[in-house]
Amino acid sequence: MSERLLINVTNKTVFFNDLGLDGIDLETFILEFMEEFKIDFSLFNLEEYTLEGVNLYQIWFKGRKPKTFNVNHLEKVIAVGKWYDPSEIEKYILTE
């Protein structure tokens, strides 16, 4: 992934904050990721993870920001085979 994004990516790299991926860039990444790893993204709502999905009123007065996820989360998504919201990890913890 580091080669494609041209920066050092670790498992703690946050997609919006660290990589600046938003809008069409994030959508393109997700589509390529989904295809590469055969992930079910039916529960993924792109607007929740982009600035376009959060208006200025929500940012200024409600303190709302786009949701984020990191590379570690994507590794878990690959293991599960489908997207899940990072805040719902307890539903998808893998048992050995």
Side-chain angles (χ1 to χ4, degrees), residues 68-84:
T68 62
F69 56 90
N70 61 24
V71 173
N72 186 45
H73 179 69
L74 291 181
E75 290 172 350
K76 292 173 183 171
V77 166
I78 291 169
V80 173
K82 68 179 183 177
W83 174 263
Y84 62 91

Side-chain angles (χ1 to χ4, degrees), residues 1-9 15 19 21 25 27-37:
M1 185 181 310
S2 293
E3 305 83 40
R4 294 201 58 192
L5 297 172
L6 303 176
I7 67 165
N8 185 27
V9 177
F15 272 74
L19 300 179
L21 288 179
D25 294 331
E27 183 176 12
T28 300
F29 173 82
I30 291 297
L31 290 172
E32 290 178 9
F33 181 83
M34 178 177 61
E35 184 161 321
E36 175 75 23
F37 296 102

Side-chain angles (χ1 to χ4, degrees), residues 36-95:
E36 175 75 23
F37 296 102
K38 309 297 185 240
I39 305 297
D40 172 7
F41 268 83
S42 59
L43 297 177
F44 183 77
N45 181 353
L46 181 66
E47 286 187 357
E48 293 178 344
Y49 296 89
T50 64
L51 284 174
E52 290 121 8
V54 181
N55 64 44
L56 290 177
Y57 173 80
Q58 292 171 318
I59 294 170
W60 290 339
F61 298 109
K62 303 264 183 183
R64 182 165 176 246
K65 296 179 182 172
K67 290 182 178 181
T68 62
F69 56 90
N70 61 24
V71 173
N72 186 45
H73 179 69
L74 291 181
E75 290 172 350
K76 292 173 183 171
V77 166
I78 291 169
V80 173
K82 68 179 183 177
W83 174 263
Y84 62 91
D85 190 289
S87 66
E88 297 179 347
I89 190 169
E90 66 279 349
K91 295 180 185 177
Y92 298 94
I93 294 176
L94 301 175
T95 57

